[in-house]
């Protein structure tokens, strides 16, 4: 079995199991644990998985087409994350939503001391929990969504009612002149609450999501938000977003 076929097999197993162990994969695929770790490194750079102690966890449940292509906008998302990390200073209280760009942000802030991070994302929690930092971590409860490896819903929203943060970093399926949007109404309500409790709501969206209107729009509660996206995003759409009073940063 060559490397490409082996990595596809790993992704197929992750779609079923969500997490896999290095040693078990090594025996199953008849390769060394070091080979499996190199495969994990490759897949993590593609934004498909997150490595954890002794194994890996899938980021989202990809389509067959995504598995075959093994390509995404991971570099662009990393650049967005690096820009967002500039907002966070020592002593800040931040909320990190679910999403691959936000997970990249978690990787960028591990060395910032004395910050408090709240998250509803298991992937973000895994990133921050496995390193020795001075970050105070709080896991936000709720109903688990396997597709995004995160928590949403009324329990989440009730918890957020008692919280205030300096910055919230929000993921979205689309951002246009009409606003940010997602596929699920309950998810949109939770993201709306995240914006409401934040002094500075920031939306992370790579260029493929600019100009896209998904099914449910996120109620921003009359707040202006900052959008961080790529420099190759649709300029006309970005102009419309700024015209509505929002701040746009391109990287």
């Amino acid at each position: 079995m060559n490397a490409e076929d082996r990595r596809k097999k790993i992704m197929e197993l992750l779609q079923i199991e969500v997490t896999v162990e290095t040693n078990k994969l090594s025996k199953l695929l008849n390769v060394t644990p070091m080979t499996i770790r190199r495969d994990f490194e490759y897949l993590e750079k593609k934004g498909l998985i997150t490595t954890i102690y002794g194994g890996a966890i899938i980021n989202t449940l990809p389509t067959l087409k995504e598995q075959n292509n093994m390509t995404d906008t991971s570099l662009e998302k990393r650049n967005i994350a690096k820009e967002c990390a500039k907002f966070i200073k020592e002593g800040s209280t931040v909320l990190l939503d679910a999403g691959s760009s936000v997970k990249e942000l978690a990787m960028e802030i591990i060395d910032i001391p004395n910050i408090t991070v709240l998250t509803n994302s298991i992937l973000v929690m895994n990133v921050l929990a496995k390193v020795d930092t001075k970050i105070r971590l709080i896991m936000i409860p709720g109903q688990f969504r396997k597709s995004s490896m995160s928590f949403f819903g009324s329990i989440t929203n009730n918890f957020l009612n008692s919280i205030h943060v300096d910055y919230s970093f929000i993921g979205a399926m689309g951002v246009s002149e009409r606003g940010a949007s997602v596929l699920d109404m309950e998810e949109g309500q939770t993201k709306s609450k995240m914006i409401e409790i934040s002094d500075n709501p920031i939306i992370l969206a790579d260029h493929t999501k600019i100009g896209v209107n998904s099914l449910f729009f996120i109620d921003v509660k009359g707040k202006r938000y900052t959008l961080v996206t790529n420099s190759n995003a649709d300029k006309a759409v970005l102009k419309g977003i700024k015209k509505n009073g929002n701040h746009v940063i391109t990287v």
Side-chain angles (χ1 to χ4, degrees), residues 41-175:
E41 182 180 358
Y42 174 87
L43 294 170
E44 186 165 37
K45 286 181 178 178
K46 292 291 184 181
L48 297 171
I49 70 169
T50 297
T51 55
I52 57 176
Y53 182 78
I57 185 170
I58 196 168
N59 283 353
T60 58
L61 295 179
T63 64
L64 183 59
K65 180 180 179 181
E66 288 171 332
Q67 289 185 49
N68 288 336
N69 290 338
M70 288 293 187
T71 59
D72 64 3
T73 54
S74 57
L75 179 58
E76 293 184 347
K77 291 177 180 179
R78 194 167 300 123
N79 289 335
I80 289 171
K82 288 179 181 294
E83 185 65 28
C84 287
K86 295 176 183 178
F87 286 96
I88 304 172
K89 309 299 181 185
E90 182 174 356
S92 295
T93 300
V94 302
L95 189 155
L96 301 185
D97 185 21
S100 53
S101 294
V102 183
K103 192 207 80 170
E104 291 287 343
L105 175 57
M107 296 179 180
E108 295 295 328
I109 66 173
I110 58 175
D111 293 324
I112 303 176
N114 302 320
I115 61 173
T116 298
V117 176
L118 299 91
T119 185
N120 63 328
S121 167
I122 288 179
L123 302 177
V124 168
M125 180 59 71
N126 277 335
V127 168
L128 297 177
K130 67 181 182 179
V131 294
D132 184 18
T133 72
K134 295 182 179 179
I135 296 175
R136 181 188 183 198
L137 286 174
I138 299 174
M139 190 75 207
I140 300 173
Q143 182 176 338
F144 179 65
R145 295 279 179 85
K146 186 176 180 179
S147 59
S148 60
M149 299 298 292
S150 57
F151 299 93
F152 290 101
S154 58
I155 296 173
T156 307
N157 299 345
N158 289 337
F159 177 86
L160 291 174
N161 278 331
S162 62
I163 298 297
H164 168 267
V165 296
D166 299 317
Y167 299 94
S168 61
F169 296 90
I170 313 294
M173 293 299 294
V175 186

